[in-house]
Amino acid sequence: MKDITCTRCGAEGLEPGFVEDAGEGARGYARWIAGPLERGFLGGAKRMGRPRRQIDAYRCHRCGHLELFATDFV
Ligand SMILES: [Zn+2]
């Protein structure tokens, strides 16, 4: 995942990173889950059995825009 260009301002050389999930019991990183969001009785997201992928977030040093990529299964 190199040579990424910012889709907002066109700058090159975006800084790699990821989106943190600091919630209680979280693994420390947010994940992308396939399918539209559905909520359960307690308001939490239904996600059982859904494929989930790692989210790579590349930050533009010029404008701060984030380019998000859902890559490997986690
Ligand atoms: Zn930019």
Side-chain angles (χ1 to χ4, degrees), residues 4-27:
I4 301 171
T5 301
C6 177
T7 56
R8 183 170 183 271
C9 76
E12 296 180 343
L14 304 194
E15 179 181 9
F18 65 96
V19 181
E20 183 186 28
D21 180 355
E24 192 169 334
R27 298 184 184 188

Side-chain angles (χ1 to χ4, degrees), residues 5-11 14 59-67:
T5 301
C6 177
T7 56
R8 183 170 183 271
C9 76
L14 304 194
R59 180 183 178 276
C60 175
H61 57 86
R62 184 191 293 173
C63 75
H65 175 76
L66 290 179
E67 296 280 348

Side-chain angles (χ1 to χ4, degrees), residues 33-74:
I33 296 182
L37 173 63
E38 297 175 46
R39 294 177 191 271
F41 286 116
L42 299 176
K46 291 182 179 177
R47 53 199 175 187
M48 291 295 291
R50 303 262 194 106
R52 56 199 65 191
R53 290 177 181 270
Q54 172 181 326
I55 300 175
D56 293 330
Y58 290 80
R59 180 183 178 276
C60 175
H61 57 86
R62 184 191 293 173
C63 75
H65 175 76
L66 290 179
E67 296 280 348
L68 300 179
F69 296 88
T71 56
D72 302 331
F73 284 103
V74 288

